[in-house]
Amino acid sequence: MIKMGQEFSSQIQLSLSLSLSLCCIASFIDLARFQEPTNKGKKIHPYINQSDHSFSSFSSETKMTMGDEGRSYTVDDALLALGFGKFQILVLVYAGIGWISEAMEMMLLSFVGPAVQSAWNLSSHQESFITSVVFAGMLIGAYSWGIVSDQHGRRKGFLITATVTATSGFLSAFSPNYITLILLRSLVGLGLGGGPVLSSWFLEFVPAPNRGTWMVIFSAFWTVGTIFEASLAWIVMPKLGWRWLLALSSLPTSFLLLFYKMTPESPRYLCLKGRTTDAINVLETIARLNGTKLPSGILISDHQIELQNIDNPSEDTVLLSPRKNEVETPKGMVSNLGGISSLQVLLSPELRRSTLLLWAVFFGNAFSYYGLVLLTSELNGHSKCMPHKLETEKSQDVSYKSVFIASFAELPGLLLSAVAVDKLGRKLSMSIMFFMCCIFLLPLTFYLPEDLTTVLLFGARICITVTFTVMYIYAPEIYPTSVRTTGVGVASSVARIGGMLCPLVAVALVHACHQTVAVLLFEIIALLSGICVMFFPVETMGQELQDTVSSLKPTNNV
């Protein structure tokens, strides 16, 4: 008992020092942010004919006739007219590679932990800590990168995250000791926290009617990553070991860096920041690749529509005053919003209820999903309680077959998501699947044969895949463009807390012969998550994305 107490005390000290290090990194990021170039004196409205700017600088599709001056369109109108075509497919593939790489880095945790424990004679607490530090890094990264991408653009956000993830992931394969491995895996987690930036970036190119279906297809890349990682581990681990698995799993992230220069910025973000000319250039590229045309008229943002309706709904003065509307940044979407200000916006009367419920559901989703991933190897590897020494000897005997089979559960989960998300809606789909997950988990409170355990985990994995997929569709939809990646990033940070705690349940409790307690805890969290979903104030199925907080209705009645 004294020895275990000393080990646990050392783990707490290591956790505190690591958390302080990560916080310092996050603070550095917050202080050393890129400065957006000011628009004063530089940005000229693309449709105003001035001495040094004429219509000739734009393509024929965007030239206006005198009859078009009174017409306008938003980014949503433009995306609807341009349709989903070749351009969006290219964006989907690029963002999908990032999603594959994140899934691989998360999936390998269930393989590397037992292998490192056996190789370095680690305790079960130390093994769990290898997983927990990744989630600790993701907690800080998801919040930090969300703010960076909302202030300085989606492209800058995922450039930094891809660089950190690829570098740290590859170097962790050469870790000489446990401490080095912990530090490098925490940096991997810091980079992986930028995953929501890519999903929001892709979402902002998709027309509203197709959004649910294509976001499910985007989520399929996660499933591809989990299956590929399970296959890779099955091949690599027995012959080459865990170091090769870490090195090979870091390669997909490098592809994001190779093709980074070809990626466009989100036109919705550009329009929100007053960079209308840049937004039109991106929309023209979409039109050219998709073989369609932009609507005629002036491209405006939701904020400009609000100003037009408030000041003078019958005149075009708001649209035709570029220095006011493009240089000045409206309240609620200030370009230099800091971390505290962003949190205040997320907890404003318009967003408070949605934000708090979203945090609860993200926590439950992550706790349940990653817990099921770890339980697949733990329950099948330790189906009966065994003495500590025997457990240590068998800790490396991961059932790759069971993990591989359970990974395929995400395929029917995605199919269910694709059908339900635009048929039943986001809320009903998630609540039903959370409750179904509870039903599949209930028999696991008892020790069962390996095959039956795999079947039940397969069913539970299907359900939690649906909730995970639909949640990542729903979350960006409830937030306006001005705080979208920050909102999803903070929610993802809360989810990482669930990810940090689940190894203590999936590994420590099962190892300590408390399988019933572990499974019941998963039951309670999944049940509460399903109830929280029922209290979400809005159903976003088929709705257009909003750009500003002021365009939302207050939903603070929790």
Side-chain angles (χ1 to χ4, degrees), residues 433-448:
M433 288 298 112
F434 269 124
F435 299 145
M436 289 292 294
C437 182
C438 293
I439 295 174
F440 280 109
L441 286 175
L442 190 59
L444 294 176
T445 54
F446 306 98
Y447 291 106
L448 300 173

Side-chain angles (χ1 to χ4, degrees), residues 291-303:
T292 52
K293 293 184 179 181
L294 280 173
S296 59
I298 300 174
L299 175 64
I300 58 174
S301 66
D302 285 353
H303 178 69

Side-chain angles (χ1 to χ4, degrees), residues 442-470:
L442 190 59
L444 294 176
T445 54
F446 306 98
Y447 291 106
L448 300 173
E450 181 174 335
D451 291 341
L452 181 56
T453 299
T454 302
V455 170
L456 291 171
L457 287 172
F458 188 92
R461 185 80 170 266
I462 291 175
C463 297
I464 209 65
T465 296
V466 174
T467 62
F468 208 90
T469 301
V470 178

Side-chain angles (χ1 to χ4, degrees), residues 47-64:
Y47 295 113
I48 302 302
N49 190 3
Q50 301 187 17
S51 58
D52 57 343
H53 292 81
S54 65
F55 294 117
S56 60
S57 61
F58 301 98
S59 63
S60 58
E61 286 91 340
T62 58
K63 292 182 181 178
M64 293 180 54

Side-chain angles (χ1 to χ4, degrees), residues 367-368 371-372 375 441 502 505-506 518-526:
F367 190 94
S368 302
L372 286 173
L375 282 177
L441 286 175
C502 76
V505 176
V519 174
L520 283 177
L521 185 57
F522 282 110
E523 287 270 347
I524 294 171
I525 289 178

Side-chain angles (χ1 to χ4, degrees), residues 16-35:
L16 290 174
S17 61
L18 179 61
S19 299
L20 289 173
S21 300
L22 290 173
C23 287
C24 291
I25 295 173
S27 300
F28 176 78
I29 293 168
D30 193 57
L31 292 173
R33 287 187 183 130
F34 312 96
Q35 294 297 320

Side-chain angles (χ1 to χ4, degrees), residues 177-252:
N177 51 52
Y178 178 73
I179 299 297
T180 305
L181 179 65
I182 289 295
L183 291 175
L184 288 172
R185 294 313 295 175
S186 65
L187 289 176
V188 170
L190 187 69
L192 291 176
V197 177
L198 276 173
S199 61
S200 296
W201 177 67
F202 171 67
L203 178 74
E204 293 176 353
F205 286 102
V206 182
N210 309 113
R211 203 164 55 225
T213 301
W214 282 106
M215 285 302 290
V216 170
I217 294 174
F218 170 72
S219 300
F221 284 91
W222 180 280
T223 301
V224 172
T226 59
I227 295 174
F228 183 74
E229 184 66 24
S231 306
L232 188 65
W234 200 354
I235 296 170
V236 172
M237 288 289 288
K239 298 179 180 179
L240 301 176
W242 60 272
R243 293 184 184 275
W244 276 92
L245 184 65
L246 287 176
L248 293 174
S249 298
S250 67
L251 295 180

